[in-house]
Amino acid sequence: QLQLQESGPGLVKPSETLSLTCSVSGGSIRSDSYYWGWIRQPPGKGLESIGNIYYSGSTYYTPSLKSRVTMTVDTSKNQFSLTLTSVTAADTAAYYCAGINYYSYGMDVWGPGTTVTVSS
Amino acid sequence: EIVLTQSPGTLSLSPGERATLSCRASPSVSSNYLAWYQQKFGQAPRLLIYGASSRATGIPDRFSGSVSETDFTLTITRLEPEDFAVYYCQQCEISPGTFGQGTRVEIK
């Protein structure tokens, strides 16, 4: 059964770079059935898509974050990663990684999420 | 960008009642790319419905989805105590996708 797990620092200073990794287990990141995404949720607010990545490395970023976001995939480690530069308090959120099923176009597998706080 | 507008913001109902949640897409989105998620406090979202009307694996049949032009509906026929949560619609026709702002279903 496919499982995802986010990892990374829980505290980042303003103006610095947030880096998170999502480890895929129970299946291959090179799956023909899934592509991968990052979603975030500020405290008490709704869900926001950050971007999608295919195992080929193709990416799609949400326009409001595009200038600060980079997503990569490491097939040797079965992981994909998120980098967000020049963070501010507005980037404080729970960050989730998810698998998007090619056949249903639904995010049917999620990591438990990791909370990132931007503060000095 | 496709904007999804959910209504109402909050729905106050009693267990056993019927819940009807709406999601309007502007511009329109193909029903193939519209999903519904349930999120409980402190948990990751869970996929309920994909393709506007297909239930995900393990989802009880009291959950159903439907579509009429640009309006999508999630219906919970008889609310169980575990159904009180926040519900989001999401489109992935235009990557990386967008979510509606959510509807909270609370106990009356």
Side-chain angles (χ1 to χ4, degrees), chain A residues 47-62:
Chain A
L47 301 168
E48 179 185 29
S49 290
I50 300 172
N52 292 342
I53 186 166
Y54 296 75
Y55 77 79
S56 64
S58 297
T59 55
Y60 296 87
Y61 302 139
T62 199

Side-chain angles (χ1 to χ4, degrees), chain A residues 39 41 45-52 54 60-63 96 104-108 110-111, chain B residues 1 32-33 35 37 39 43-47 50-51 88 90 92 95-101:
Chain A
I39 303 94
Q41 185 172 36
K45 296 188 178 180
L47 301 168
E48 179 185 29
S49 290
I50 300 172
N52 292 342
Y54 296 75
Y60 296 87
Y61 302 139
T62 199
Y96 297 97
S104 70
Y105 295 105
M107 296 178 171
D108 63 11
W110 291 71
Chain B
E1 178 178 301
N32 291 334
Y33 302 102
Y37 298 84
Q39 187 180 32
Q43 297 183 16
R46 176 175 71 146
L47 177 67
Y50 64 90
Y88 295 93
Q90 184 241 3
C92 60
S95 287
T98 50
F99 289 89
Q101 79 275 26

Side-chain angles (χ1 to χ4, degrees), chain A residues 64-120:
Chain A
S64 62
L65 297 173
K66 189 174 182 178
S67 64
R68 299 193 293 129
V69 170
T70 302
M71 295 174 63
T72 59
V73 63
D74 187 335
T75 55
S76 67
K77 294 182 179 179
N78 227 31
Q79 295 175 338
F80 60 102
S81 297
L82 167 71
T83 299
L84 182 65
T85 62
S86 304
V87 298
T88 70
D91 296 309
T92 293
Y95 286 77
Y96 297 97
C97 59
I100 304 113
N101 190 302
Y102 268 117
Y103 302 104
S104 70
Y105 295 105
M107 296 178 171
D108 63 11
V109 59
W110 291 71
T114 187
T115 298
V116 178
T117 301
V118 178
S119 174
S120 55

